[in-house]
């Protein structure tokens, strides 16, 4: 990692570097992104027809990922979202934990802020432990990632189908330039379907 910032004894990772690292050599991985920074970061790592960008629907990314993982059990699926969105979709963690898809990973880029609305503190800044919630919901694996080595280990784990995973990655609050992927919903749906099943809509 190029940039690691120390704050109050904790190390916060550069989120864009983190995303570029765990999406490198992604193999057959399908990716669903939450709104805002996760979408920009995944696009910055390289626009790909196997990326399904959610431009809105805050709180819905994990459930879209569950639907995709259920429909494509032979493919690994990763949801890349933020702490604000995942807090809004807490019920999704219970549903995923009850279903336990073996091919679904939820990656939460946690900067403890609502980045799209002014940087207000989220509940993770006040002690809410999303990995702990996921464990209580029945996820096979739930971890908090704080180091570059852990990000590298996560990259390999995302490509496997070894049970549902939630990884909370502690990232810094840097306001990075936006990298905007296509915003046309019909285009995104069409190219994603063609990339996944080889058939147009």
């Amino acid at each position: 990692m190029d940039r690691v910032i120390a704050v109050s004894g904790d190390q916060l990772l550069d989120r864009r570097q983190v995303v570029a690292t765990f999406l490198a050599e992604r193999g057959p991985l399908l990716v669903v992104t939450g709104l805002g920074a996760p979408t920009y970061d995944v696009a910055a790592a390289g626009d790909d027809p196997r990326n399904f960008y959610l431009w809105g629907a805050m709180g819905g990314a994990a459930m879209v990922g569950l639907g995709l993982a259920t429909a494509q059990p032979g493919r690994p699926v990763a949801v890349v979202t933020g702490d604000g969105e995942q807090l809004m979709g807490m019920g999704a963690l219970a549903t995923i934990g009850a279903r336990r898809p073996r091919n679904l990973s939820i990656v939460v880029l946690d900067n403890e802020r609502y980045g799209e609305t002014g940087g207000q503190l989220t509940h993770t800044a006040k002690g809410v432990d999303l990995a702990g919630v996921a464990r209580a919901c029945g996820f096979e694996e739930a971890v908090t990632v704080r180091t570059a080595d852990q990000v590298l280990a996560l990259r390999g784990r995302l490509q496997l189908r070894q049970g549902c995973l939630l990884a909370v990655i502690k990232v810094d609050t840097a306001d990075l330039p936006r990298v905007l992927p296509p915003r046309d919903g019909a285009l995104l749906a069409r190219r994603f379907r063609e990339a996944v099943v080889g058939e147009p809509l």
Side-chain angles (χ1 to χ4, degrees):
M1 297 293 163
D2 295 334
R3 177 160 56 101
V4 176
I5 300 173
V7 178
S8 303
D10 292 332
Q11 290 187 328
L12 300 176
L13 300 168
D14 177 324
R15 67 163 214 265
R16 190 149 291 173
Q17 190 83 37
V18 161
V19 173
T21 297
F22 71 66
L23 287 182
E25 303 171 17
R26 64 187 270 177
L29 185 67
L30 305 177
V31 177
V32 176
T33 68
L35 87 166
T39 286
Y40 313 145
D41 296 340
V42 169
D47 184 35
D48 189 295
R50 296 168 298 166
N51 297 342
F52 192 73
Y53 306 106
L54 292 181
W55 279 101
M58 185 171 179
M63 290 305 288
V64 172
L66 174 60
L68 180 59
T70 301
Q72 294 291 320
R75 299 282 294 271
V77 175
V79 173
V80 184
T81 191
D83 50 305
E85 171 162 354
Q86 195 53 66
L87 285 162
M88 183 174 281
M90 293 281 265
L93 298 182
T95 301
I96 292 167
R99 293 291 303 272
R100 296 187 182 179
R102 299 197 58 76
N103 59 327
L104 178 61
S105 301
I106 310 293
V107 178
V108 180
L109 303 175
D110 183 9
N111 64 1
E112 302 181 353
R113 302 289 190 278
Y114 289 104
E116 296 303 297
T117 60
Q120 304 91 341
L121 294 178
T122 69
H123 295 328
T124 63
K126 302 175 183 181
V128 173
D129 178 3
L130 287 171
V133 172
R135 281 191 292 273
C137 287
F139 277 62
E140 280 90 349
E141 187 176 355
V143 298
T144 299
V145 173
R146 298 180 185 276
T147 70
D149 287 344
Q150 290 172 326
V151 174
L152 285 171
L154 176 64
R155 178 171 71 188
R157 174 65 174 81
L158 292 178
Q159 297 179 15
L160 303 175
R161 291 179 290 121
Q162 295 182 335
C164 58
L165 160 74
L166 182 132
V168 176
I169 305 179
K170 291 294 188 176
V171 297
D172 65 41
T173 60
D175 185 15
L176 302 173
R178 295 182 176 187
V179 177
L180 303 179
R183 299 187 69 171
D184 183 328
L187 167 67
L188 292 172
R190 182 171 61 250
R191 74 174 197 168
F192 186 75
R193 179 182 172 86
E194 289 176 356
V196 175
V197 300
E199 300 173 5
L201 285 173

